[in-house]
Amino acid sequence: MSMRAEVAMSVLVCIWARDNAAQMSWSNEWRLHALFELCKATQAAIQSLGTGISYTKPYKAMVVLPEYYFTRIRTSALAAKAMQEDVKDQLVKELLAISLVFPDFLLIPGTIAFRKSLIRPDSKKNKASGQAKTLGRFDKMMMNLKSDQNVNNNQTFAQPYHGKHNAQNPGSDHSLQIVNSAVHLHGGWTQPPDPDGRHHPGPGVQWVQKNYYLYKNQAYVIHKGRILFKYNKQIGFFETQGASQEVQIHAPDVTKTNTAMIHGDRFCLEICFDHANTVAKDVVQEEAKAEQAFASFFNTKKPDIAPDFHVVVSDWVQVNDKDIVAKPGGYLIHASTNASAVVVKRAGSPGHTQIFPFTNGHLASYPYAVYRLD
């Protein structure tokens, strides 16, 4: 009796083009439920292929969602996006739980927009190891702002989309001093500035309490109940718009890279406006230069560190072929709120080849597509 040979396949990719702006009032519970249903649809796609498939990764599929999949409940696109830190923490626990139900899936559930107080709560003062954190949140913010000026030419708070649309634009030393004073000296309390714009305490000046927050737009890679990688958006686009009742500061953690080794493959993540500003391309080129310098110094062969997977999540951006950083034979995966912008491509030299879905469907009226990466 002849045996049918197994077909080797790298992985499936399921992308849902959910229009987040059209469903801003939907709760996190509903969004989690929708993700669960999407995983079930992906599972059905795997089953439809039968048993003659040999998967070559420690997971069978990636489930990828667009940017801002998780925000606070809003009634307007002009309202603030960021949920509270404790709400984000609970949400992440729920995402980890879903990943345990679907252990064959690598989850990249879009991004979570949240803000955390510049005054670190007692529950956050220790690392997971139990060791006390040495840097305060304000000090980390300042470190990021300073280093930001030398990373990817990313002039935080000086560019139009960083500072112009923030609730407060701490673009001068003076305004940062106000934040510093409020956070370190007065427990979040501050005094309104005088009409001349200067801030100098004096008798009879009414003190008011302002909440100062760090804003994050963060993507996660999750597998089997563990966060394997997280990356926060570098180039903001109206990130803190609508946060008029509190001060939110977008100060990306630029000291961390957007690339990571995951199950033997190098992943590179970008979030929307990052791609339009070539963040991945710049980072990968800088890493390649550093590796070349290391190899030359030690007279060793330069390692291949080009990404196997270049993943973009957006709301929305058009992918530029010239800015795809996946190595030849690797893949570009773009999950977008705009269905026409969703694309999967196999990287090549000199050109890239578009991959078309082998099955698709709709969830809550929005299309999803499943791709085979052979």
Side-chain angles (χ1 to χ4, degrees):
M1 183 176 67
S2 64
M3 299 290 290
R4 187 179 66 170
E6 287 190 335
V7 177
M9 183 169 65
S10 175
V11 70
L12 294 183
V13 175
C14 180
I15 301 174
W16 185 28
R18 174 183 179 265
D19 186 352
N20 298 332
Q23 299 173 337
M24 292 179 294
S25 62
W26 292 20
S27 67
N28 281 339
E29 288 73 19
W30 187 94
R31 300 179 204 208
L32 287 165
H33 171 73
L35 172 58
F36 195 91
E37 292 299 311
L38 189 67
C39 288
K40 287 169 62 177
T42 307
Q43 201 167 50
I46 291 174
Q47 292 169 353
S48 74
L49 294 173
T51 57
I53 301 294
S54 174
Y55 294 90
T56 60
K57 307 288 182 190
Y59 50 91
K60 294 180 178 179
M62 296 184 210
V63 177
V64 191
L65 299 176
E67 182 187 23
Y68 300 129
Y69 185 75
F70 292 105
T71 65
R72 64 187 285 271
I73 294 175
R74 299 183 289 158
T75 57
S76 164
L78 301 180
K81 302 178 185 71
M83 65 183 70
Q84 298 175 11
E85 184 179 17
D86 58 344
V87 175
K88 181 270 298 182
D89 291 343
Q90 182 58 41
L91 175 59
V92 169
K93 290 179 182 178
E94 298 287 348
L95 290 170
L96 297 181
I98 290 176
S99 76
L100 288 172
V101 177
F102 299 96
D104 289 333
F105 296 172
L106 197 71
L107 301 183
I108 306 178
T111 67
I112 303 176
F114 69 97
R115 87 284 196 274
K116 55 185 185 180
S117 173
L118 274 173
I119 302 174
R120 180 178 282 132
D122 291 340
S123 61
K124 300 279 187 177
K125 289 190 175 178
N126 291 330
K127 301 177 182 178
S129 63
Q131 184 181 5
K133 296 176 180 176
T134 55
L135 267 184
R137 287 179 172 177
F138 178 87
D139 301 308
K140 285 186 70 175
M141 179 191 77
M142 289 302 298
M143 182 176 68
N144 286 330
L145 291 178
K146 290 176 181 177
S147 60
D148 203 354
Q149 297 179 18
N150 297 311
V151 176
N152 303 329
N153 295 317
N154 177 8
Q155 303 289 332
T156 303
F157 303 119
Q159 352 180 82
Y161 299 109
H162 260 309
K164 183 177 178 182
H165 301 291
N166 279 355
Q168 176 174 326
N169 175 4
S172 68
D173 292 338
H174 173 72
S175 55
L176 281 173
Q177 287 175 356
I178 296 176
V179 178
N180 181 34
S181 174
V183 170
H184 281 132
L185 304 180
H186 306 301
W189 289 79
T190 187
Q191 290 178 296
D194 288 348
D196 62 5
R198 289 178 295 177
H199 181 86
H200 43 124
V205 177
Q206 181 181 4
W207 284 74
V208 294
Q209 187 167 28
K210 256 192 183 306
N211 295 315
Y212 294 90
Y213 295 98
L214 277 173
Y215 170 93
K216 298 283 185 181
N217 184 6
Q218 192 151 275
Y220 297 79
V221 180
I222 298 170
H223 187 219
K224 290 186 177 180
R226 294 176 55 231
I227 296 172
L228 303 183
F229 183 51
K230 56 186 179 181
Y231 165 72
N232 59 85
K233 188 176 185 179
Q234 299 296 295
I235 312 290
F237 189 86
F238 295 87
E239 299 297 329
T240 60
Q241 185 178 43
S244 58
Q245 302 303 311
E246 59 192 30
V247 177
Q248 292 182 10
I249 302 170
H250 183 225
D253 193 348
V254 297
T255 60
K256 294 183 179 179
T257 181
N258 61 347
T259 64
M261 290 297 295
I262 298 175
H263 294 311
D265 291 316
R266 184 171 291 276
F267 278 68
C268 178
L269 266 61
E270 281 185 308
I271 301 173
C272 202
F273 209 42
D274 288 349
H275 185 73
N277 286 272
T278 67
V279 168
K281 188 175 183 179
D282 293 346
V283 169
V284 169
Q285 287 177 349
E286 287 302 314
E287 289 182 346
K289 287 179 184 178
E291 290 293 338
Q292 179 64 61
F294 181 87
S296 297
F297 183 81
F298 289 100
N299 195 28
T300 60
K301 183 179 178 181
K302 177 179 175 292
D304 181 9
I305 63 167
D308 300 282
F309 294 104
H310 180 185
V311 181
V312 181
V313 297
S314 77
D315 181 32
W316 62 279
V317 71
Q318 195 72 46
V319 166
N320 297 315
D321 275 14
K322 63 182 178 61
D323 297 325
I324 294 175
V325 298
K327 66 177 64 173
Y331 291 91
L332 176 281
I333 299 167
H334 180 210
S336 175
T337 55
N338 182 346
S340 66
V342 170
V343 70
V344 175
K345 292 188 176 185
R346 181 180 174 90
S349 180
H352 309 304
T353 304
Q354 184 168 349
I355 307 296
F356 294 94
F358 81 90
T359 188
N360 48 42
H362 283 77
L363 179 62
S365 302
Y366 293 101
Y368 68 84
V370 184
Y371 304 80
R372 290 180 56 158
L373 308 189
D374 295 319

